[in-house]
């Protein structure tokens, strides 16, 4: 028997993992197992075992063999795979223990495998659901529609990131740079006051345009304070940032009403 | 009071169909019947009839386009059978498929939302941080508040983008989760 390395690939259309013998191609794709439950299901299928009556000793042995192969092939075996190995061994040892003779007969002793079986069945449903999503996305890729164009104002709300915030802020700074000709000393507003002010505005107006809020600031220092206040309020309060288009204005919105 | 009273638009059904077509065409994302009804000052029944008429017209003449119901709205899209030619013209390739791990994570989120990272770990038996980041980057999922539990973990749910990318009318359009049980056993 030649020592050809085994190649593992996953094909949703076959709905199970498959081992291919790779002749000269050393690319091993064992990492394609989505996780320990996936590998375990594969082993059970491979051994043609009944999922409701798993021969735990044999399956554990095979499972550990696969982990060994993964290690030998220098694939970093994720800790989760080892956790599953430990659980299998634990179940195996529980199965070896003699039944408690004093235990009531009518109360059937819990099968140590039960929890694992439940998890496997639940997991397999999600795996099938993943396959369904895969097929849907494949079909969707054959359908084309008009993409958003720059002038589309009514596009979907998407969550704005900190970078979007920064972009808005930078645009403001750039605009300010031309406008501010002379610095006049003003009474400085503290961060605490700014946050209080911002909170009140969001509460009153429900939706606050970040661009507009920044525009009200009278100096670079106030702008910076306002920016920090926005970051702070997003971090601590039930406030959501939304943006209608990429590089567009960011809207601050109170979400306290649907927080419960 | 010389201002003209806002008059009820008098349109023929054919004109309404044409208008609906025009609006669905310019919309960059699925447009709902409600929005169409508001903009055109018509009731939703008339809009629904117009969309239906439009759909059958497209079908009757074997149009290259179709009117689809996606994410609760209407969308004009090319028909699937022309995907090769369209792709050739657009010079695009099918976008990168999600990995198996990401698809699984997405399936868990779609059916269990709102769901936290530890809950996803429990079901998948494996850390899903990378997948969650991928799904967030692709805007298929969004954070939906925090769970009132120890550590106040973030809860995730699917986005409108998810509905659009997977061609779903709404979340109810997903096959029922119980149906997968029959397939498994």
């Amino acid at each position: 028997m030649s020592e050809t390395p085994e190649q593992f690939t996953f094909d949703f259309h076959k709905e199970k993992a498959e081992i291919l013998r790779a002749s000269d191609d050393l690319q091993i794709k064992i990492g394609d197992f989505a996780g320990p439950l996936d590998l375990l299901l594969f082993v059970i299928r491979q051994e043609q075992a009944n999922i409701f009556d798993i021969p735990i000793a044999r399956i554990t042995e095979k499972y550990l063999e696969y982990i060994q192969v993964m290690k030998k092939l220098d694939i970093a075996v994720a800790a989760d795979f080892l956790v599953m190995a430990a659980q299998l061994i634990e179940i195996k040892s529980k199965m070896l223990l003699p039944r408690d003779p004093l235990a009531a007969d009518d109360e059937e002793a819990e099968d140590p495998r039960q929890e694992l079986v439940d998890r496997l069945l639940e997991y397999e449903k999600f795996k099938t659901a993943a396959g369904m999503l895969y097929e849907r996305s494949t079909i969707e890729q054959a359908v084309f529609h008009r993409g958003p164009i720059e002038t589309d104002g009514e596009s979907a709300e998407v969550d704005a990131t900190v970078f979007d915030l920064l972009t808005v802020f930078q645009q403001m700074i750039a605009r300010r740079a031309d406008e501010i000709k002379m610095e006049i000393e003003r009474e400085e507003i503290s961060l605490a006051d700014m946050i209080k002010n911002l909170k009140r505005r969001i509460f009153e107006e429900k939706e606050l345009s970040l661009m507009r809020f920044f525009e009200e600031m009278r100096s670079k220092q106030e702008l910076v304070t306002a920016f920090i206040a926005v970051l702070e309020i997003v971090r601590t309060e039930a406030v959501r940032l939304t943006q209608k288009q990429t590089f567009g204005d960011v809207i601050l919105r109170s979400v306290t009403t649907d927080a419960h | 009071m010389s201002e003209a009273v806002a008059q009820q638009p008098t349109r023929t059904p054919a004109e309404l169909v044409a208008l609906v077509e025009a609006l669905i065409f310019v919309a960059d994302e699925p447009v709902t019947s409600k929005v169409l009804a508001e903009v055109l000052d018509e009731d939703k029944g008339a809009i629904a009839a117009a969309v239906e008429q439009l759909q059958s017209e497209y079908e009757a003449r074997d149009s290259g386009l179709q009117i689809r119901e996606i994410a609760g709205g209407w969308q004009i899209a090319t028909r699937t059978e022309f995907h090769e030619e369209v792709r050739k013209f657009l010079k695009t390739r099918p976008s990168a498929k999600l990995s198996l791990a990401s698809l699984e994570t997405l399936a868990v989120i779609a059916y269990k939302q709102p769901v936290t990272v530890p809950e996803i770990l429990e079901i998948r038996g494996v850390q899903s941080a990378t997948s969650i980041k991928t799904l967030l980057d692709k805007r298929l999922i969004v954070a939906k508040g925090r769970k009132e539990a120890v550590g106040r973990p973030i809860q995730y749910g699917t986005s409108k983008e998810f509905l659009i990318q997977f061609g779903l009318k709404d979340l109810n359009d997903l096959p029922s989760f119980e149906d997968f049980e029959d397939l498994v056993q």
Side-chain angles (χ1 to χ4, degrees):
Chain A
M1 223 182 108
S2 61
E3 279 287 319
T4 39
E6 287 166 326
Q7 185 176 351
F8 301 79
T9 62
F10 188 89
D11 184 348
F12 263 116
H13 300 288
K14 287 172 184 156
E15 289 205 344
K16 61 173 185 147
E18 192 188 4
I19 307 174
L20 298 173
R21 297 231 170 253
S23 45
D24 49 356
D25 186 1
L26 281 170
Q27 267 196 328
I28 309 300
K29 292 170 86 180
I30 197 167
D32 279 359
F33 282 113
L37 289 166
D38 197 17
L39 175 56
L40 188 56
L41 268 182
F42 172 73
V43 172
I44 291 170
R45 292 284 134 84
Q46 201 69 7
E47 292 294 307
Q48 299 186 342
N50 179 357
I51 197 163
F52 294 102
D53 186 18
I54 301 171
I56 205 81
R58 183 152 57 98
I59 296 299
T60 305
E61 191 188 322
K62 286 285 169 194
Y63 182 89
L64 292 173
E65 263 176 35
Y66 275 98
I67 302 246
Q68 285 305 321
V69 172
M70 288 162 87
K71 276 188 176 164
K72 214 180 277 173
L73 295 169
D74 225 14
I75 296 163
V77 178
D80 305 293
F81 283 87
L82 301 177
V83 170
M84 176 57 72
Q87 280 169 357
L88 284 172
I89 293 166
E90 192 196 350
I91 295 171
K92 189 177 143 189
S93 61
K94 272 188 188 162
M95 303 274 293
L96 291 172
L97 289 175
R99 284 261 186 96
D100 183 358
L102 298 176
D105 261 359
D106 52 329
E107 248 183 75
E108 211 169 303
E110 169 94 19
D111 189 327
R113 298 171 294 182
Q114 192 56 48
E115 199 196 320
L116 181 65
V117 172
D118 290 345
R119 269 189 85 190
L120 276 173
L121 289 175
E122 178 82 348
Y123 168 74
E124 193 163 36
K125 278 194 271 177
F126 282 106
K127 197 172 135 86
T128 314
M132 177 276 298
L133 288 178
Y134 175 86
E135 271 167 20
R136 282 208 86 106
S137 72
T138 308
I139 294 167
E140 276 310 296
Q141 293 216 335
V143 176
F144 298 82
H145 45 82
R146 236 203 64 207
I149 48 176
E150 218 31 52
T151 50
D152 280 332
E154 294 297 315
S155 56
E157 275 192 357
V158 287
D159 279 8
T161 65
V162 174
F163 297 104
D164 297 329
L165 263 179
L166 265 173
T167 310
V168 173
F169 185 63
Q170 275 165 351
Q171 284 169 0
M172 279 306 311
I173 289 283
R175 205 174 306 167
R176 284 281 127 144
D178 304 332
E179 285 176 17
I180 299 168
K181 300 272 190 279
M182 184 173 65
E183 289 272 11
I184 299 166
E185 274 207 322
R186 292 174 191 277
E187 207 181 324
E188 282 172 20
I189 179 162
S190 73
L191 181 58
D193 287 343
M194 184 64 83
I195 290 173
K196 210 182 289 173
N197 182 21
L198 181 57
K199 275 184 187 169
R200 184 176 49 77
R201 289 286 298 278
I202 295 171
F203 181 74
E204 280 170 4
E205 297 176 28
K206 304 283 185 274
E207 282 188 21
L208 181 60
S209 154
L210 212 51
M211 190 72 90
R212 219 180 60 222
F213 182 67
F214 285 156
E215 234 147 355
E216 289 164 13
M217 298 306 134
R218 290 161 302 180
S219 68
K220 198 176 270 187
Q221 191 165 11
E222 269 194 28
L223 254 178
V224 173
T225 313
F227 185 63
I228 296 170
V230 170
L231 288 180
E232 189 65 17
I233 204 166
V234 169
R235 189 179 69 81
T236 55
E237 298 282 324
V239 165
R240 212 166 60 189
L241 293 173
T242 54
Q243 190 183 35
K244 288 191 171 164
Q245 63 190 66
T246 311
F247 306 122
D249 194 7
V250 174
I251 308 286
L252 274 169
R253 184 174 294 170
S254 167
V255 289
T256 35
T257 44
D258 55 46
H260 298 286
Chain B
M1 293 292 282
S2 57
E3 280 173 61
V5 182
Q7 61 188 45
Q8 196 66 22
T10 46
R11 302 185 182 110
T12 66
E15 278 173 346
L16 181 58
V17 171
L19 263 171
V20 164
E21 181 181 31
L23 295 191
I24 298 176
F25 170 73
V26 294
D28 72 308
E29 65 161 25
V31 54
T32 61
S33 296
K34 186 166 170 270
V35 168
L36 290 174
E38 277 168 17
V39 172
L40 298 175
D41 200 9
E42 299 272 356
D43 64 78
K44 279 173 83 175
I47 298 294
V51 172
E52 206 171 302
Q53 172 65 22
L54 196 55
Q55 281 178 318
S56 53
E57 278 176 16
Y58 275 46
E59 263 165 51
R61 64 176 179 90
D62 289 327
S63 171
L65 300 173
Q66 53 174 333
I67 308 282
R68 307 197 314 154
E69 190 180 359
I70 296 294
W74 303 102
Q75 180 192 60
I76 290 183
T78 61
R79 286 236 306 268
T80 47
E81 46 268 56
F82 306 129
H83 71 102
E84 273 178 38
E85 292 83 352
V86 174
R87 203 174 285 290
K88 193 173 162 194
F89 169 73
L90 291 173
K91 298 191 179 73
T92 61
R93 280 189 213 154
S95 54
K97 293 257 162 67
L98 288 171
S99 71
L100 181 53
S102 296
L103 274 168
E104 264 185 31
T105 308
L106 185 58
V108 174
I109 294 172
Y111 281 99
K112 287 269 167 173
Q113 59 186 309
V115 65
T116 64
V117 171
E119 286 161 357
I120 298 169
L121 169 67
E122 176 62 25
I123 290 169
R124 293 196 56 231
V126 63
Q127 300 288 338
S128 310
T130 318
S131 296
I132 287 169
K133 189 178 177 303
T134 304
L135 296 172
L136 281 171
D137 285 349
K138 290 185 182 287
R139 294 183 161 174
L140 293 170
I141 60 167
V142 287
K144 299 215 161 159
R146 287 173 182 276
K147 186 169 184 166
E148 291 304 329
V150 178
R152 307 221 314 118
I154 296 175
Q155 293 181 304
Y156 294 99
T158 52
S159 64
K160 190 171 178 182
E161 186 63 25
F162 166 77
L163 297 177
I164 294 173
Q165 285 204 19
F166 288 84
L168 296 160
K169 289 179 198 169
D170 51 44
L171 284 176
N172 294 326
D173 199 19
L174 280 172
S176 136
F177 191 62
E178 279 66 44
D179 289 349
F180 295 123
E181 201 145 9
D182 306 331
L183 295 171
V184 170
Q185 286 158 31

